[in-house]
Amino acid sequence: MTGRTHDERLHDRKFVRTFFTSPTAVEGEDESAKMIRSASGLRGMQAPDVWVPDNEDATAPSMRDEGAENIVEVLAENGAEFPGEVHPRVVWHRDSPATRYQGFQHMLEIADPENGAVEHLDGFVIPEVGGIDDWKKADEFFTIVEEAHGLDEGSLAMSVIIESGAAELAMGELREEMGKPTNNLERLFMLVDGEVDYTKDMRAITPTGNLPPWPELRHNTSRGASAAGLIAVDGPYDDIRDVEGYRERMTDNQAKGMLGIWSLTPGQVVEANRSPLPPEDGSWLLDDGTQQVELDEQGDTQVYGGDRLSLAESGDSYVLAVGGDEQELDEDGLREELLDRAEYVPSMDDIVDSMEEFEAAREAGTGAIAMERSATLAIDGVEVDISNDRMWDEATYQAAMTPVSLFQDVYENRPDQHDDLAEMYGESVVNRAIDVGT
Amino acid sequence: MTGRTHDERLHDRKFVRTFFTSPTAVEGEDESAKMIRSASGLRGMQAPDVWVPDNEDATAPSMRDEGAENIVEVLAENGAEFPGEVHPRVVWHRDSPATRYQGFQHMLEIADPENGAVEHLDGFVIPEVGGIDDWKKADEFFTIVEEAHGLDEGSLAMSVIIESGAAELAMGELREEMGKPTNNLERLFMLVDGEVDYTKDMRAITPTGNLPPWPELRHNTSRGASAAGLIAVDGPYDDIRDVEGYRERMTDNQAKGMLGIWSLTPGQVVEANRSPLPPEDGSWLLDDGTQQVELDEQGDTQVYGGDRLSLAESGDSYVLAVGGDEQELDEDGLREELLDRAEYVPSMDDIVDSMEEFEAAREAGTGAIAMERSATLAIDGVEVDISNDRMWDEATYQAAMTPVSLFQDVYENRPDQHDDLAEMYGESVVNRAIDVGT
Amino acid sequence: MTGRTHDERLHDRKFVRTFFTSPTAVEGEDESAKMIRSASGLRGMQAPDVWVPDNEDATAPSMRDEGAENIVEVLAENGAEFPGEVHPRVVWHRDSPATRYQGFQHMLEIADPENGAVEHLDGFVIPEVGGIDDWKKADEFFTIVEEAHGLDEGSLAMSVIIESGAAELAMGELREEMGKPTNNLERLFMLVDGEVDYTKDMRAITPTGNLPPWPELRHNTSRGASAAGLIAVDGPYDDIRDVEGYRERMTDNQAKGMLGIWSLTPGQVVEANRSPLPPEDGSWLLDDGTQQVELDEQGDTQVYGGDRLSLAESGDSYVLAVGGDEQELDEDGLREELLDRAEYVPSMDDIVDSMEEFEAAREAGTGAIAMERSATLAIDGVEVDISNDRMWDEATYQAAMTPVSLFQDVYENRPDQHDDLAEMYGESVVNRAIDVGT
């Protein structure tokens, strides 16, 4: 966690899947550090890429001095073995010098080498930032802390919570500000959306009190991360019971380039560590006119089990009904229609196959090749063979590389997850995925 | 309407629900001021938070000098009694110095103390602004008008219509520009979207000629308002007959933090004054797989009346069908499933209850409490009890405060609506809502 | 293609519907220039508004020097007769000085008057730009090329591909940067989204590997074009077989003000040249609760042929069922309900009619008039007459002008399409459309 390289993203981790917060001091317990002591013991898929002992909102204001001490104590004891990075959240507010001063004091204490925690500390998370000048104030405090404790300038990473319109706008200025000799903003690492406070700051209202989806905020955070070599992370998903909803949110985020998400429980950590990794098995989807339905693989056949689509054969022709609308088609017409409705979700194995195939073609001097994908679909017992060609060129290859690069980053930085990955994908796929594209 | 305070939002009104425009001079009438004279008599829920005698698009170019005179005349007569703020719209265009000069002359005339209208005047609305330098030109004219007439610098509020891509971009610079000693942009008050001209400026085309929804513009306007302490207002909704569509647009806007909207008729004013206020009665919604259906309260039971969901009991188990897809569930499974599909829309009374409960817990040293909400649902005669816990912490409390703060702002500034509010909510709820959170 | 005027958009073309790329040099063919030689022969609806001999991604790296020579050769031969503008894409990358230097050399060669191509050359397309300083580097190379070859400063247009978060942000600064005396950024012409590389740069992942829809990027590109007097063009639509999907994408783009799109084949060029032009015939749409269904004109009646809506008459009342939900209505209620569900898509003829009518009314001193649109709808054999009034004022008129201005721009600049346009609309409609609003 030292020795930063200077490639595009400056930090050790090029991807962060999980941002897991724990209260630093809980009142009324035998031991107030109970929660973070427990979290420090997480390993494997339950352990986050980034662990955030949360000395802000998750911890009562009266307990925060004790919280800072607890962070020091637990990190000094267990930090060496913790498999993820550690970025405590301290207090900060764009509108309150008192809060900022308190956050500065906590940073000074936690990073003090005499306390024995700093060698296991990767940075701090700063909440409630405003415009870019407010970010610079926080950066300056990092620099002062580093100076005071003889640490290398820029060695502590800074991440921020985007929870105001002003902070959202500031993300558009990072690229320009980060190079200036008057700051050390190159220490920036994660841009993390905080939708509860953002909703308050934007004064938004929904009838049920649920959070608005804020698609533009998430786009702008992802874009800000892209333009400045940072990592975009979405905020907490409050309904812990709703695993399906959490997964849908992550799929939506991933299509925006936001590959990380806040986790509130080890169960959410497991879900979020797995979500951006390609699936173990490929699957076919069929569009029934209202949604994409996953087909059921039975032997060599992909079976549709819903009731919106129906298909009947009569002599040389077919009748396909979609939600009651019938059309009569010949065999080619039917194949064409089903091809339009079908899509394949490739497995990790499939992705590595395609990339290796493209690499071989490229080496042989070919710039674009067709990747074929075939299947036998069955609807109401009628079987239809379909086959789809997709052109792959250099750009397709590069875009397909994203989940593989993420996998490689995980593999390199999280040896504690090697067993889980081997169990998911098999050793052979893992080994090929590590090598491809490098 | 004098004596601005200097808290976060600098103006008397922290919220504006309604922005009602009236033509200032109508040709061919006995009295050309007829429309604004009539509007100046509006009271209660029919009276807008902001009234805009419109000396731009609503008034024929040839009538605008007379329109400026009419504004003076009507304000001098009826301004003292008008319950909302008054912000006439004058002419302006980023591309036409002649238009800008005409707007300046009208402002000079309307604000002239000798004409007796200025003491009832809160500011002006400037349409068709371009980049930030164009906004500064308008601001400078306000300053000159104030200087010429011995008014305090910054005492006239400036609001703008966002109806060009350039103006949309300028909203990102306000926070930085507003503090500079070379302008008085702190006078800025409302950012108002003007989608008809924006559509023209963006050169957008829709098959029917309807306006595009422009979700990004509305987000950016709301964000600009948030970052600079201003108030975001949506543009006109042309289809006056379509009350349901107007309501849906407002609900959509509110989820973006845009709590105000243009109104073209007193009927729209009534709708828009009520829309962001919490409902009188709470209600349950049930997701039928395609939409959320409001349940019908019959005694203590919430009855589902649609036909997409069906439920049957057989011995110890239940069969729930959603649009034809059946699943068999035990009692706990059914409860879980329905809990996932059900949501509660709290009333003003409910919101105040929850806030008071949280305040009491916080005073007793508890940072987070569970709020329980129970109901008996009935589908096809089968009754199921469900109960939902939601965690409230400081952030939840703060976010829930937005509609209550809006209510308090209305209550303080619109005594003419006290009777309507008491009739809606009852005196007791009104009195508790005024006190909570302050 | 010389003599730029200085109105709002500085270039000859105020609209670009089609951006058609061709590989400049294909390995293993008898003649490596085969593809661009063939493209240079396109005429009429198959010929794009902008043709882009693509010396970047469509051409293998090893073939690009030959590609530059091919461009020169084909342009010198066939450029004079080509009906669209010609903007070759050269190589460029924000992160690679070697790539930028190669692009500069290709520009120098292609624009060299001794090679005989420059008089048929309108500009160059620069891919992979980053922040605004990177755009300025490219602009400076244009200036040097112009200087070296004795061309007027600014005479070569510059277009860019937006395929990074940094470039997306740079579009917000154009308006301010374009006026500065230290650059010639007024040469900017098209802003073209490149979603494949953008997806890679944003590190987005989708389960199927399909491109995300990126609505915010397209909005921001359109806004950037609007604020700086440029032209917004969407990226390639890979699934060439999917004509319906291509059309839907264009309709979605047009509602964002993005009226141009990349075309990969002459077939896509035909589709994209026609898409933003108003239809030959008007049509009625009816909302069936899930989508808008086009009605079938049979004589004077608009017949609904779907099965979600059903209508029955019984005595004085009607029963209308929408997806199973029945309501009983009297004749006025039914008319109201159907009026809410019906919308008209006007033809070019209809649009010109309405504009002429408004112009006449305006000349007679009327600022707003009601345009009536009537139809007889038939559902399950029951006929209902509906009639819709829409108010037209100056703003409506201006917004309706967009497709007509596009038509006029096409008519002026593409004489090779006159026959196609006359065949589509009839001579008389074409002649009226040329004159209206000018």
Side-chain angles (χ1 to χ4, degrees), chain C residues 4 6 10-11 87 107 122-124 126 135-147 151-160 178 183-190 228-230:
Chain C
R4 310 191 174 287
H6 279 270
L10 294 172
H11 300 272
H87 298 254
M107 286 164 60
D122 296 280
F124 292 103
I126 308 295
W135 301 41
K136 291 179 186 169
K137 294 176 191 172
D139 164 60
E140 172 66 359
F141 282 173
F142 277 77
T143 301
I144 297 297
V145 167
E146 287 160 345
E147 171 65 24
L151 305 170
D152 287 348
E153 228 174 274
S155 60
L156 290 171
M158 169 171 152
S159 301
V160 296
M178 279 171 71
N183 66 53
N184 287 309
L185 284 172
E186 294 93 334
R187 69 169 78 253
L188 278 168
F189 178 40
M190 295 178 291
L230 308 177

Side-chain angles (χ1 to χ4, degrees), chain B residues 168 201 203 205 210 241, chain C residues 14 219 226 254 336 343:
Chain B
E168 186 184 350
D201 183 76
R203 309 200 303 182
I205 299 175
N210 290 343
R241 295 177 323 120
Chain C
K14 306 290 171 282
H219 175 76
S226 164
Q254 288 154 16
E336 185 89 2
E343 291 215 70

